[in-house]
Amino acid sequence: MFLHPWSGYRAATNKPVTIPADYQDAVFRRIVPETYYGDINEHITPIIAHVTVTHPDETQTHVLVREGGKNPAIVSVDGVNYFYAKNESDVYAGATEFVSLVSEIYHQRQTQPTTEKDAEP
């Protein structure tokens, strides 16, 4: 997962971040496409993240995540058709919460001792 540097967010990193199993539900439910959004405006809905989801069979799905304001994040798996992510009652601003979760994970990884298995390339 890669967070784009953007002045609207103070993302912890612009390096890839691997999402550990205990955070996957919280992170991924903020980027699962649900309701059709329509055309995007590059200035109003900037890209904030590129996500690569690797499935158990090793296939990958690429997701573009865009800012949606006080709404769910705006996401696309093809870069053409955009959808609001799942609209759940506990998600106030999906893109902001998404960046916060990924930043938290990044900070935790930076403060934990690294083992050879966990070492980033």
Side-chain angles (χ1 to χ4, degrees):
M1 176 169 312
F2 173 80
L3 296 177
H4 272 257
W6 181 56
S7 61
Y9 292 105
R10 293 179 187 244
T13 183
N14 62 357
K15 296 179 182 179
V17 177
T18 300
I19 306 302
D22 54 335
Y23 277 91
Q24 286 180 1
D25 181 55
V27 171
F28 290 118
R29 70 187 184 98
R30 287 170 171 81
I31 62 169
V32 173
E34 183 177 62
T35 307
Y36 186 70
Y37 176 81
D39 294 334
I40 55 101
N41 178 314
E42 293 288 332
H43 300 289
I44 296 172
T45 55
I47 294 174
I48 60 160
H50 285 251
V51 178
T52 300
V53 180
T54 303
H55 303 281
D57 66 357
E58 298 300 317
T59 60
Q60 295 183 332
T61 301
H62 299 278
V63 181
L64 290 176
V65 181
R66 291 181 176 270
E67 167 58 38
K70 296 176 184 174
N71 296 301
I74 299 167
V75 297
S76 177
V77 296
D78 64 5
V80 175
N81 297 295
Y82 282 88
F83 296 80
Y84 276 122
K86 291 175 80 172
N87 189 9
E88 297 181 353
S89 61
D90 65 333
V91 177
Y92 175 69
T96 301
E97 293 176 13
F98 173 81
V99 170
S100 294
L101 282 167
V102 174
S103 294
E104 179 182 329
I105 293 163
Y106 176 79
H107 282 299
Q108 285 179 356
R109 290 187 63 100
Q110 297 308 305
T111 59
Q112 292 176 350
T114 6
T115 64
E116 188 175 325
K117 179 180 175 184
D118 295 332
E120 293 183 21

